[in-house]
Amino acid sequence: MIRPVIRRKMNKVIDAAADHFFEHFTLVVANDENEQRTCFKTRHQVYCEEMGFEPPRASKMEVDEFDEFALSCYIKHKATGDCAGTIRLVMPQHPGQLLPVEQNCPEAIRMDEHSPQRYPRFQVCEISRLAIPKQFRRRHSDSNVSPVTGKSLSGAFKSNAPGRNFPYLSLALYFFAASICILRDIENVYVMMEPRLARSLRMLGINFEQLGNEIDYHGKRAAFQLSPMEFMQQISPALQRFQRKIMNELEEVPNFGAIFRHQPSILTKIHEEQRAA
């Protein structure tokens, strides 16, 4: 009898957090140069300045070779216009384009049967570079959540103030990315995350399949695989409502059809600026 009570309580927490999210935030697909720069600058703030995972860049933008064939997205704070969190989807189109996990952490995938190499390039994607700036971790519900992995730092979700304690920024970014994968018919999604985060998400009905042992890559990480359609079917009714609202919001994104086209890269221009500096 306890489990249904807990489930109903969690659904109320999620519904309240979702209402709060859409009241204060909106979704942005980085279609133009300024929007892409917003994502790269946010990544630099979190990965280079706050966490020290990557060396600082003179351009104040954190970019790598995978951004040439990736789609970046972010959450915008309505009141200020600031980026409250960003994430990217690395979507290769030909055999020469590898996923980050294939290039940087090949030992993370234990069995060949789970290798991205088994699928056509257009059927695989890696979700990476989730980054939530410090000011939004402090001001909003992700104050007790890792800025990079979304992992709860306190070990549990509080429920006495659902609009401010449920980690909706991290979840919204993952749902944002998963929704785009569904729209693009991408069947096999990979992500490097902390196993503890995967266990926390499993409590919400989100089941990532771990593909190998933990490795040391910006801390303890493991490779996971996910089917976006199964992901949407597994989650609770409250999270399904949250995801449907995200899909509805996506339909209002300017140039929404550009999600289905290859995004023009600004990396060449950024590299030229870096050399000039």
Side-chain angles (χ1 to χ4, degrees):
M1 295 298 293
I2 296 177
R3 189 175 297 274
V5 172
I6 295 175
R7 186 181 302 115
R8 285 195 296 271
K9 187 173 183 180
M10 180 59 73
N11 283 337
K12 290 181 179 179
V13 169
I14 295 169
D15 284 334
D19 290 342
H20 189 269
F21 174 84
F22 289 104
E23 179 182 354
H24 295 284
F25 300 96
T26 191
L27 308 177
V28 179
V29 177
N31 284 316
D32 62 34
E33 180 177 326
N34 288 334
E35 292 167 344
Q36 291 175 39
R37 287 177 179 272
T38 294
C39 296
F40 298 154
K41 288 179 180 179
T42 300
R43 282 163 43 180
H44 188 277
Q45 178 184 340
V46 174
Y47 278 80
C48 303
E49 300 173 20
E50 297 177 11
M51 308 302 294
F53 287 159
E54 301 288 346
R57 320 287 173 83
S59 64
K60 297 294 184 180
M61 288 185 284
E62 195 277 318
V63 298
D64 59 29
E65 66 270 32
F66 303 107
D67 290 301
E68 291 280 5
F69 46 97
L71 177 66
S72 294
C73 312
Y74 71 96
I75 293 172
K76 181 167 71 174
H77 185 225
K78 292 180 179 180
T80 63
D82 292 338
C83 174
T86 183
I87 200 166
R88 76 172 177 188
L89 297 87
V90 179
M91 298 178 290
Q93 299 300 310
H94 61 74
Q97 296 176 329
L98 300 179
L99 297 176
V101 66
E102 295 176 284
Q103 179 168 306
N104 300 329
C105 310
E107 71 279 16
I109 299 178
R110 184 175 60 246
M111 303 292 290
D112 288 342
E113 65 188 83
H114 297 299
S115 171
Q117 295 293 328
R118 295 183 65 245
Y119 309 105
R121 290 285 88 180
F122 64 87
Q123 289 184 1
V124 300
C125 168
E126 183 170 344
I127 297 174
S128 66
R129 287 303 195 256
L130 184 151
I132 298 172
K134 179 169 56 179
Q135 65 267 32
F136 286 95
R137 301 198 304 274
R138 287 179 174 175
R139 291 168 54 191
H140 299 288
S141 65
D142 285 65
S143 58
N144 65 331
V145 170
S146 165
V148 173
T149 67
K151 177 176 67 67
S152 172
L153 300 178
S154 63
F157 299 135
K158 300 176 183 178
S159 59
N160 57 336
R164 296 189 62 83
N165 290 299
F166 192 80
Y168 54 80
L169 292 180
S170 301
L171 279 174
L173 287 167
Y174 277 122
F175 280 20
F176 196 174
S179 298
I180 291 174
C181 289
I182 290 174
L183 292 169
R184 293 191 61 132
D185 295 322
I186 296 174
E187 301 175 4
N188 304 282
V189 178
Y190 294 83
V191 61
M192 292 290 295
M193 68 169 69
E194 294 186 15
R196 288 179 59 187
L197 170 60
R199 290 192 293 271
S200 297
L201 293 175
R202 195 172 297 121
M203 294 175 61
L204 297 173
I206 304 172
N207 295 311
F208 288 84
E209 180 181 5
Q210 187 168 336
L211 305 181
N213 297 325
E214 295 181 20
I215 64 170
D216 187 8
Y217 183 71
H218 297 329
K220 294 297 182 181
R221 300 284 187 274
F224 292 84
Q225 188 176 8
L226 178 74
S227 164
M229 288 303 299
E230 291 180 2
F231 167 74
M232 297 307 177
Q233 293 168 359
Q234 291 168 353
I235 56 179
S236 69
L239 285 175
Q240 288 178 357
R241 290 191 290 273
F242 190 18
Q243 191 273 334
R244 283 196 296 270
K245 289 181 179 179
I246 286 177
M247 290 289 280
N248 292 336
E249 181 94 356
L250 271 173
E251 293 178 356
E252 302 300 322
V253 171
N255 301 318
F256 178 69
I259 293 174
F260 298 95
R261 300 195 300 269
H262 175 71
Q263 298 300 300
S265 173
I266 65 167
L267 295 191
T268 300
K269 185 174 182 179
I270 291 175
H271 292 327
E272 291 175 351
E273 293 172 353
Q274 291 175 337
R275 286 194 294 270

